[in-house]
């Protein structure tokens, strides 16, 4: 049975990936689908996700404090609920409770990530496995055996994420967003102003290098909550500033002009 695992945001993504790896250790017949790593290289992002949404029997939506109102989460929740019984669309809450939910997500029956509630969710999935269903006794044994490891991993992710959001230096916290942005832009300018004897022309870029840059633009769209196919609404300068902060992207593109050309081609496709 196919299970679609939906996520939005850095923490939610890590949790979703952890669940994808963990669920088959308890329910071997379950086949979790987690994007983007499950999308084969070269596949169309929109069509592949839509296809998987239509193939899945149960949807688990990884909800954290940072993504309760994110359009991408709401899009996938809506797509799942339009196909599945409402009881099979399962928002799973991490570090929050039902009081934190508003809007469409609050209409679903949610599961808070704690042992007893999560166990009920897994029991529900097991009941829908058909011939792949395991007995109650076996389920009890494997769940009890593997849950502690999952709980430890999830708690570690929650703790690490919370720590990353705290500013250890009081002096640093006084800096305005404007000051930080200006520093980033200055560092970017310096990086591009350095002599580069191996500077590549656009015609020298390989297909794989161009596709890599386009994949990064798609990631930018997801992170900034653009809907599918909203390429023409992207601001070329904003995309360029964001991508040019990444050293790997700068190295692959070869030059600022190459990066801008790829972004422009993507937006006008």
């Amino acid at each position: 049975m196919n299970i679609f695992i939906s996520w939005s945001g850095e923490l939610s993504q890590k949790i979703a990936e952890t669940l994808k790896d963990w669920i088959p250790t308890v329910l071997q017949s379950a086949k979790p689908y987690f994007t983007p790593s499950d999308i084969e290289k070269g596949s169309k992002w929109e069509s592949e996700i839509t296809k998987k949404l239509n193939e899945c029997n149960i949807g688990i939506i990884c909800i954290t404090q940072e993504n309760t109102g994110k359009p991408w989460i709401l899009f996938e929740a809506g797509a799942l609920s339009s196909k599945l019984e409402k009881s099979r669309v399962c928002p799973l809450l991490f570090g929050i409770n039902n009081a934190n939910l508003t809007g469409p997500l609050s209409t679903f029956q949610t599961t808070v990530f704690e042992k007893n509630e999560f166990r009920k969710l897994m029991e529900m999935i097991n009941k829908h496995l058909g011939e792949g269903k395991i007995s109650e006794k076996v389920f009890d044994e494997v769940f009890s055996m593997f849950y502690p490891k999952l709980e430890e991993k999830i708690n570690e992710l929650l703790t690490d994420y919370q720590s990353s959001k705290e500013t250890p230096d009081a002096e640093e916290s006084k800096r305005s967003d404007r000051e930080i942005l200006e520093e980033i832009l200055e560092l970017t300018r310096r990086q591009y102003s350095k002599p580069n004897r191996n500077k590549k022309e656009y015609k020298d870029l390989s297909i794989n290098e161009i596709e890599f840059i386009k994949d990064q633009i798609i990631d930018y769209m997801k992170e900034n909550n653009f809907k599918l196919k909203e390429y023409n609404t992207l601001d070329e300068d904003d995309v360029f500033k964001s991508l040019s902060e990444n050293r790997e992207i700068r190295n692959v593109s070869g030059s600022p002009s190459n990066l801008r050309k790829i972004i422009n081609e993507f937006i006008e496709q």
Side-chain angles (χ1 to χ4, degrees):
M1 180 181 69
N2 295 323
I3 302 172
F4 191 96
I5 303 180
S6 175
W7 61 273
S8 178
E10 178 185 354
L11 174 60
S12 180
Q13 179 184 15
K14 291 178 180 178
I15 289 172
E17 189 169 12
T18 300
L19 288 176
K20 178 201 170 184
D21 294 336
W22 184 87
I23 289 175
T25 64
V26 177
L27 303 175
Q28 295 183 358
S29 296
K31 298 178 180 178
Y33 176 80
F34 162 78
T35 178
S37 64
D38 278 345
I39 298 179
E40 294 182 3
K41 189 173 181 62
S43 295
K44 290 293 185 180
W45 173 52
E46 175 191 358
S47 60
E48 183 70 10
I49 289 180
T50 302
K51 176 183 176 182
K52 290 297 181 181
L53 281 169
N54 290 330
E55 291 176 353
C56 289
N57 309 96
I58 289 177
I60 295 177
I61 307 172
C62 299
I63 305 296
T64 63
Q65 185 67 55
E66 64 174 341
N67 70 9
T68 54
K70 295 293 186 182
W72 187 246
I73 278 285
L74 300 178
F75 165 76
E76 292 185 344
L80 286 165
S81 64
S82 67
K83 175 182 179 294
L84 305 174
E85 298 175 15
K86 207 163 189 178
S87 61
R88 297 196 190 184
V89 182
C90 313
L92 187 52
L93 312 186
F94 297 88
I96 60 174
N97 54 45
N98 289 309
N100 299 108
L101 294 183
T102 59
L105 291 176
S106 63
T107 65
F108 294 100
Q109 182 175 348
T110 60
T111 299
V112 175
F113 183 74
E114 62 86 28
K115 186 173 183 179
N116 290 333
E117 287 204 30
F118 185 68
R119 178 192 182 92
K120 291 177 182 177
L121 172 61
M122 293 297 293
E123 287 175 338
M124 181 275 288
I125 295 175
N126 185 42
K127 289 178 181 178
H128 288 92
L129 287 177
E131 296 181 357
K133 174 183 175 182
I134 60 177
S135 68
E136 184 175 343
K137 180 179 179 181
V138 172
F139 175 85
D140 289 340
E141 291 177 353
V142 293
F143 183 85
S144 297
M145 180 183 301
F146 291 108
Y147 177 79
K149 185 174 182 180
L150 174 65
E151 183 179 44
E152 180 182 0
K153 177 63 175 177
I154 296 297
N155 288 338
E156 179 183 329
L157 290 174
L158 292 172
T159 300
D160 289 348
Y161 182 78
Q162 184 59 39
S163 298
S164 71
K165 293 301 180 182
E166 298 174 356
T167 306
D169 191 331
E171 201 58 39
E172 181 72 14
S173 65
K174 296 179 182 178
R175 300 172 65 200
S176 68
D177 290 342
R178 180 70 182 178
E179 290 173 327
I180 295 172
L181 177 59
E182 288 177 351
E183 180 179 332
I184 292 173
L185 291 176
E186 180 60 27
L187 290 172
T188 301
R189 293 190 188 102
R190 289 179 184 176
Q191 177 67 29
Y192 275 128
S193 65
K194 292 179 181 179
N196 185 358
R197 296 179 180 177
N198 297 318
K199 181 178 177 181
K200 292 186 289 189
E201 299 294 332
Y202 181 80
K203 61 183 178 61
D204 298 323
L205 295 177
S206 68
I207 294 176
N208 287 339
E209 288 173 326
I210 294 175
E211 287 302 314
F212 171 80
I213 301 297
K214 290 183 178 180
D215 286 343
Q216 305 312 304
I217 301 174
I218 290 175
D219 287 343
Y220 171 89
M221 291 180 66
K222 291 171 63 179
E223 291 170 2
N224 290 276
N225 304 313
F226 283 88
K227 295 180 181 179
L228 304 177
K229 290 189 175 180
E230 285 188 338
Y231 311 120
N232 60 347
T233 64
L234 290 170
D235 185 296
E236 181 179 337
D237 289 335
D238 287 344
V239 179
F240 175 80
K241 289 177 182 177
S242 177
L243 266 60
S244 62
E245 293 170 10
N246 185 296
R247 179 177 296 178
E248 183 179 7
I249 294 175
R250 294 198 301 269
N251 290 339
V252 171
S253 63
S255 71
S257 60
N258 290 345
L259 180 57
R260 280 195 177 276
K261 183 175 179 61
I262 296 170
I263 294 171
N264 181 262
E265 289 180 347
F266 184 90
I267 292 175
E268 295 184 352
Q269 65 181 319

